[in-house]
Amino acid sequence: MLYKLAVNWMIIAFLVRMVACLAVHIYSLEAGFEGFYPLASGNDDDLYWKLADEILSGSIPEYIPNSYPFFLVALFSITGQNLLIGKILSVFAGSLTVYVGVILAHELSSGINLPQQDRNYAANFTGILLTLYPSALWYSTQLVRDLLLVFFAILNIYLSIIILKRGKQSLWIWWGTWIWWGITLFIVYSLRNYAGVGLLMGFFAYLIFIWKVKIQRKLFVLALVLIPCALVPYFLGQGIFGFEHILPTLNTEEIARQREHAYSTGGSSTGISIDYSNPVNFIFTYGQSYITAMLGPLPWQVRSVVTLITLPEVIGMWILYFQLWQSWSSRTIKNKNNEEILLLISCLIQVGIFALFSDNIGANTRLRLLPWISFFIYASIHFAKKRASIRNLS
């Protein structure tokens, strides 16, 4: 039943995304945008296409922002260079994310020993949310890295859960899972390094503060996590533990510069600046930025058509968050380790990272794809637990 549900939702997600992709692609061709993002030239999709074209022609560009062009090169080496095929890679990655998300929801709800109907509820609710999530659907139609990034990140979280649960797995399977965990972390880090940092921070936080196991096992797993923490950034040229990259970005002036020049431009900027002059001002201004990154645009921040378009999905998120908040205040089924909390922790940390430097509603819709999808899966499991609790009380 598990794989059938996951496959069904993957097929539905693929068909929905494929229809959207073809519609946007045809519109772009008819409007004279040559199949690219139909707002302005020089955006990410155009950049990645040109980089892949340059690499395929036998030259290495001076500037390659991330590993996504190499994924396109690998695909085009098999299929021939075609813009629509490149977009279908995003469609396929988005559909695989739905597949892994449904499996993850079912795996976690099975670990709580929920009745089969509640496990199916968690899986189906996850499938609905991930399939119809408007921003994920929209970016699936573009030649951008985000859908690949989200797929490998959600797969990394799934592998993290398998590692933590271990159960009756053989030792070989457990070590094999670790290897794939490291590979997915490497890919996420190569696509967007601070997303990889966020995954590691979430995993560390869960291991240290939430995971209820013997101290010997906890220290053993922590030691294993330190190995990819050190080596993944090193092999990407950012030094042991990524210090060569991380330390310069911790400078408040550099964060402010990124925020002002890279993200606080265009009609969807909120105008929020983070004040580092004292702790009180920082907490207040950063709090504003965090809430906007997670739940924005807020009604008073809708100042353009771009921000207005994002409002419907945000209203849906407010409703979901309100329902979850009400559910938190009442009794639900308890389980020993609450592995689903890893999804919530990952969501909150990912938002906390990009809230430091992003002041752009449009950019936030891309940057929060991973945290929102993690949140959707967590919410699905929590509501399934709530359903089971209500049934037990009645």
Side-chain angles (χ1 to χ4, degrees):
M1 188 65 178
L2 162 61
Y3 292 104
K4 183 179 179 181
L5 278 177
V7 170
N8 288 344
W9 278 113
M10 182 181 72
I11 293 172
I12 294 170
F14 182 84
L15 293 175
V16 171
R17 281 159 171 72
M18 196 65 209
V19 170
C21 179
L22 291 174
V24 173
H25 186 75
I26 293 170
Y27 167 77
S28 180
L29 292 175
E30 293 293 328
F33 294 106
E34 301 179 350
F36 293 102
Y37 187 67
L39 286 181
S41 61
N43 285 294
D44 282 352
D45 55 350
D46 188 37
L47 170 64
Y48 292 137
W49 173 260
K50 291 177 180 177
L51 289 173
D53 182 63
E54 196 171 339
I55 296 171
L56 285 167
S57 66
S59 60
I60 302 297
E62 293 184 3
Y63 172 69
I64 303 178
N66 53 70
S67 65
Y68 181 60
F70 294 105
F71 282 93
L72 294 177
V73 168
L75 175 65
F76 293 154
S77 298
I78 300 171
T79 65
Q81 190 172 5
N82 183 285
L83 180 59
L84 182 57
I85 290 176
K87 292 180 178 181
I88 292 174
L89 176 62
S90 292
V91 170
F92 187 59
S95 305
L96 285 176
T97 299
V98 176
Y99 177 82
V100 176
V102 171
I103 289 179
L104 181 52
H106 195 282
E107 175 73 25
L108 288 168
S109 56
S110 298
I112 309 169
N113 294 320
L114 290 180
Q116 186 62 45
Q117 58 181 319
D118 295 305
R119 299 178 199 176
N120 292 341
Y121 173 86
N124 284 321
F125 195 48
T126 297
I128 292 171
L129 291 176
L130 269 56
T131 298
L132 301 180
Y133 176 16
S135 286
L137 181 61
W138 168 246
Y139 289 115
S140 293
T141 71
Q142 306 300 319
L143 196 72
V144 292
R145 59 181 159 159
D146 301 86
L147 278 300
L148 270 178
L149 164 72
V150 171
F151 164 64
F152 284 110
I154 294 298
L155 181 56
N156 180 271
I157 294 175
Y158 172 72
L159 294 171
S160 299
I161 297 296
I162 297 301
I163 288 168
L164 295 173
K165 289 170 74 74
R166 185 172 178 182
K168 297 181 180 179
Q169 303 169 40
S170 72
L171 190 60
W172 287 107
I173 293 177
W174 194 71
W175 281 110
T177 305
W178 265 111
I179 292 171
W180 279 109
W181 183 85
I183 291 171
T184 55
L185 178 65
F186 181 89
I187 294 173
V188 170
Y189 210 102
S190 70
L191 288 167
R192 182 175 287 147
N193 50 22
Y194 57 81
V197 171
L199 285 177
L200 285 173
M201 290 176 65
F203 199 28
F204 268 116
Y206 181 84
L207 287 176
I208 295 171
F209 300 110
I210 307 295
W211 200 32
K212 298 175 183 178
V213 295
K214 293 180 179 180
I215 188 65
Q216 296 92 331
R217 186 180 177 192
K218 180 174 290 194
L219 291 175
F220 175 69
V221 173
L222 283 171
L224 286 180
V225 174
L226 285 174
I227 296 173
C229 282
L231 296 183
V232 166
Y234 176 79
F235 286 118
L236 289 170
Q238 298 178 7
I240 297 291
F241 292 104
F243 285 146
E244 292 181 10
H245 170 77
I246 294 174
L247 292 179
T249 61
L250 294 179
N251 184 290
T252 56
E253 293 182 1
E254 174 61 21
I255 294 174
R257 187 194 68 78
Q258 284 269 347
R259 188 179 183 89
E260 180 178 356
H261 296 291
Y263 290 92
S264 293
T265 58
S268 60
S269 173
T270 62
I272 299 173
S273 297
I274 297 180
D275 187 347
Y276 296 96
S277 61
N278 62 68
V280 174
N281 289 345
F282 172 77
I283 292 172
F284 179 73
T285 54
Y286 176 68
Q288 284 183 297
S289 183
Y290 190 100
I291 293 171
T292 299
M294 182 66 180
L295 299 171
L298 303 175
W300 57 88
Q301 294 172 331
V302 178
R303 303 167 185 166
S304 65
V305 174
V306 174
T307 53
L308 183 63
I309 291 173
T310 65
L311 198 56
E313 73 174 22
V314 171
I315 293 174
M317 185 63 163
W318 296 343
I319 295 171
L320 182 66
Y321 183 80
F322 178 73
Q323 292 294 322
L324 193 64
W325 183 265
Q326 285 188 318
S327 181
W328 277 334
S329 63
S330 59
R331 180 187 172 190
T332 58
I333 290 175
K334 304 296 182 183
N335 54 305
K336 180 180 177 183
N337 284 313
N338 294 306
E339 288 96 351
E340 72 274 11
I341 293 180
L342 177 58
L343 289 159
L344 181 60
I345 293 172
S346 179
C347 166
L348 298 176
I349 290 177
Q350 294 282 348
V351 173
I353 291 174
F354 76 78
L356 278 172
F357 56 80
S358 178
D359 182 39
N360 190 296
I361 297 297
N364 286 353
T365 61
R366 288 177 62 179
L367 297 175
R368 69 189 179 199
L369 284 174
L370 174 56
W372 272 28
I373 286 174
S374 300
F375 185 82
F376 290 154
I377 302 171
Y378 169 80
S380 299
I381 297 164
H382 189 84
F383 289 141
K385 290 167 62 177
K386 180 63 177 177
R387 279 167 51 94
S389 296
I390 293 174
R391 191 181 306 109
N392 291 339
L393 291 173
S394 60

